[in-house]
Amino acid sequence: MEKTEKIWMDGKFIDWDEAKVHVLTHALHYGTAVFEGMRCYETDDGPAIFRLWDHLTRFYNSAKIHMMRIPYEMEELARAIKETIKVNRMRECYIRPIAYYGYGEMGLNPKRNPINVAIAVWPWGTYLGEEGLRKGVRCKISSWIRIDTRMLPPLAKATANYLNSVLAKLEAIECGYDEAILLNSNGYIAEGSGENIFIVKDGTLLTPPTSSGALHGYTRDSIKELAKDLSISLLEREILREELFTADEAFLTGTAAEVTPIREVDGRAIGSGSIGPITKRLQEKFFQVVRGRDPRYKKWLELVL
Ligand code: PPE
């Protein structure tokens, strides 16, 4: 990864190379942390964070689900995020806030440990490659099932959830694919290892509901609103894998992945085997919006300066 200068840790700026934790940090042993991923984009008015307040709300909700009290007010963290971007002189970057049970006591009860918070920013280009963004990625339906609400709440963005994603990602990569798509325990499509999923069927956009095990993604939410404004009909419903195989188009959405087309699933070409026309329209609109080039969506941009 590309280093920057400073990482915000519990209210102080620490040199990147010194931003360390104790090896007996509770979260390292038991996955007891919640985190967020946001992006800051360059706009004509300066660097702006896309949907900052929504991501922060999800951050606090993830903590609430796991009975973790983040020891800062939301406004304080918003300020800290902006400061971290400014201190590191970033114009465009990825933003990673994390709240974790720190060092103190071992054992499953986390409550005897401090809750630490850190914010790092760094330049993060395309998540699934430049070519992936342009022409699409090849996906594998995972043999691993997406965690469900009876085991680990999928709507909380907790680090522990990502062991499920990591297994799926590893399997896909080992099998020569770019990305994994996970089904839920009922056999319906949930999402990618770190992205939501959409398909296009007869001009209609379909995406699984959160009850299918999809994270409440803000890129997903933005695409839903953009589709409405572009008069593209949208349906949120359970999706079968064979509907994905026979879709006209498909794409993944996420802060890191942005809007990445899917060109193949398990050896079946999706549509033309490249980016589809509706995906292209939405992708172009998305990049206009995050860079502040559509005044209607400035409400989603929080200026850093
Ligand atoms: N599902 C999962 C499982 C997920 O991790 C993400 C984001 C999404 C959906 C999309 O959510 P949103 O970013 O609000 O549109 N994944 C983050 C972590 C990626 C990583 O590799 O780390 C991200 O994109 O920031």
Side-chain angles (χ1 to χ4, degrees):
M1 68 187 303
E2 204 174 318
K3 281 190 204 177
T4 56
E5 275 174 51
K6 302 277 182 192
I7 293 180
W8 187 95
M9 289 179 90
D10 303 312
K12 294 194 193 77
F13 284 112
I14 309 290
D15 287 343
W16 179 282
D17 289 328
E18 300 307 317
K20 294 173 184 167
V21 295
H22 195 278
V23 72
L24 297 179
T25 291
H26 198 274
L28 182 61
H29 293 254
Y30 307 117
T32 47
V34 296
F35 71 102
E36 266 306 317
M38 318 178 192
R39 274 190 193 265
C40 169
Y41 290 94
E42 177 82 285
T43 74
D44 291 339
D45 304 322
I49 304 163
F50 187 61
R51 303 196 69 164
L52 170 70
W53 298 101
D54 293 316
H55 282 282
L56 280 174
T57 300
R58 192 172 66 188
F59 191 48
Y60 281 79
N61 282 339
S62 296
K64 182 174 189 185
I65 291 167
H66 286 291
M67 303 179 87
M68 242 175 139
R69 207 192 69 78
I70 295 177
Y72 299 94
E73 297 300 323
M74 200 185 285
E75 290 71 22
E76 289 180 279
L77 285 192
R79 256 198 316 277
I81 287 169
K82 292 182 191 175
E83 286 301 316
T84 310
I85 294 169
K86 282 193 274 187
V87 161
N88 289 293
R89 298 188 298 273
M90 291 283 108
R91 307 296 298 180
E92 291 214 331
C93 61
Y94 185 81
I95 306 159
R96 170 56 54 83
I98 184 166
Y100 55 98
Y101 281 108
Y103 166 73
E105 292 285 335
M106 274 296 165
L108 290 184
N109 177 10
K111 290 289 180 187
R112 289 179 300 185
N113 295 287
I115 293 172
N116 299 114
V117 180
I119 302 161
V121 302
W122 64 88
W124 200 352
T126 54
Y127 185 61
L128 296 167
E130 199 54 53
E131 190 179 306
L133 199 63
R134 257 187 311 115
K135 294 187 183 159
V137 291
R138 298 174 53 247
C139 296
K140 176 181 175 22
I141 303 277
S142 187
S143 72
W144 298 99
I145 297 302
R146 170 80 172 149
I147 48 165
D148 85 57
T149 183
R150 294 161 293 189
M151 309 185 248
L152 266 178
L155 292 185
K157 205 169 163 65
T159 57
N161 295 10
Y162 284 82
L163 213 40
N164 177 238
S165 294
V166 165
L167 281 169
K169 182 83 182 186
L170 275 174
E171 181 189 55
I173 299 292
E174 286 295 317
C175 292
Y177 292 87
D178 305 309
E179 188 52 289
I181 293 166
L182 289 90
L183 305 181
N184 62 30
S185 48
N186 292 323
Y188 293 102
I189 290 174
E191 59 178 356
S193 74
E195 312 90 358
N196 290 116
I197 187 168
F198 285 82
I199 70 171
V200 178
K201 203 109 190 155
D202 302 323
T204 295
L205 210 49
L206 302 174
T207 194
T210 51
S211 56
S212 279
L215 184 73
H216 184 270
Y218 287 106
T219 320
R220 169 183 180 273
D221 187 73
S222 307
I223 288 294
K224 281 167 59 178
E225 195 161 328
L226 297 181
K228 201 165 142 207
D229 287 353
L230 293 171
S231 305
I232 300 166
S233 56
L234 179 128
L235 224 62
E236 209 174 296
R237 69 152 169 82
E238 290 175 320
I239 299 174
L240 291 165
R241 89 167 82 180
E242 51 270 44
E243 292 182 289
L244 170 60
F245 290 156
T246 59
D248 303 321
E249 302 178 33
F251 60 91
L252 298 165
T253 63
T255 299
E258 299 170 309
V259 178
T260 300
I262 297 173
R263 68 180 162 94
E264 186 192 313
V265 179
D266 287 343
R268 286 113 173 142
I270 303 302
S272 64
S274 187
I275 186 168
I278 291 178
T279 308
K280 199 167 166 54
R281 262 178 86 199
L282 287 166
Q283 192 194 55
E284 279 170 5
K285 186 49 119 190
F286 176 78
F287 283 118
Q288 270 174 23
V289 166
V290 296
R291 296 217 158 81
R293 302 210 179 112
D294 187 333
R296 278 176 301 173
Y297 299 102
K298 289 216 170 159
K299 60 180 182 185
W300 285 340
L301 294 171
E302 177 78 14
L303 292 175
V304 171
L305 302 171

